[in-house]
Amino acid sequence: MKNIFAKVRFMAVLIGIIAAFMIFTCTRPSREKQIVAFVKENEPQLTDIAQNMIDGDLSKKTFKKAKMDGVFRNSESEEIVQFTYTGKGIVPASKYYGFYYSPSDQPQAFQNVEVNLEAENGYWKWHDEGDNGGITKKIGNGWYYYEAWF
């Protein structure tokens, strides 16, 4: 009889752990929602940091959860200030999530790589050599969310 109660107790604990995990993963905001909220909550400070970086002050390396990647310019002298929020994997199977500031308020690819952006359902997609690619989406005035994979 003790054996049956032990098995029932074990199953109840196991079901509880699985249910808690499912609730946590289902209610946790997506990376995109987390990043959009972060940018909107910190937009004045982030805009100041981005403008300072464009003006040549590269002394700031992080802001809260975001890492400053730098200022990236393309051949048309369009520039973006890119921030990485999170990432996973190692090359050649890695994915980065973040945001960038575009003073011209134009969507760009990861690190301002010169590729064609294709508009689709509120996002812009890009593809580069091999399986490299990404998406970007407007957050607000001059600010964009990005995902990039390599």
Side-chain angles (χ1 to χ4, degrees):
M1 197 67 152
K2 284 183 181 180
N3 211 8
I4 291 175
F5 288 123
K7 287 180 182 179
V8 169
R9 194 173 323 136
F10 173 77
M11 290 302 290
V13 169
L14 184 61
I15 290 170
I17 291 170
I18 291 170
F21 177 76
M22 290 176 63
I23 289 169
F24 174 75
T25 56
C26 291
T27 59
R28 187 171 155 230
S30 70
R31 283 188 177 95
E32 180 179 344
K33 288 180 182 177
Q34 290 174 10
I35 292 169
V36 168
F38 178 81
V39 171
K40 287 184 177 185
E41 289 169 13
N42 299 288
E43 188 172 349
Q45 300 96 318
L46 289 167
T47 301
D48 286 345
I49 292 167
Q51 199 56 58
N52 288 340
M53 291 181 77
I54 290 169
D55 294 339
D57 180 3
L58 304 177
S59 62
K60 193 132 175 102
K61 302 294 182 204
T62 60
F63 176 76
K64 297 184 181 181
K65 296 179 181 181
K67 176 185 162 272
M68 281 69 157
D69 295 333
V71 179
F72 297 91
R73 291 178 182 83
N74 62 21
S75 64
E76 297 172 7
S77 296
E78 295 236 4
E79 53 196 3
I80 64 169
V81 179
Q82 185 173 295
F83 302 78
T84 297
Y85 193 79
T86 188
K88 64 181 182 180
I90 55 174
V91 175
S94 56
K95 191 167 187 179
Y96 298 97
Y97 303 87
F99 54 96
Y100 61 90
Y101 177 67
S102 171
S104 66
D105 201 18
Q106 295 298 311
Q108 303 294 334
F110 182 77
Q111 296 183 347
N112 219 349
V113 173
E114 297 192 39
V115 291
N116 291 328
L117 293 173
E118 303 164 13
E120 185 177 307
N121 298 327
Y123 292 88
W124 289 271
K125 294 183 175 186
W126 63 273
H127 302 282
D128 199 6
E129 300 173 12
D131 61 353
N132 299 344
I135 61 168
T136 189
K137 182 179 182 181
K138 187 171 178 108
I139 295 173
N141 191 22
W143 288 99
Y144 292 81
Y145 165 79
Y146 76 83
E147 293 178 21
W149 50 85
F150 304 94

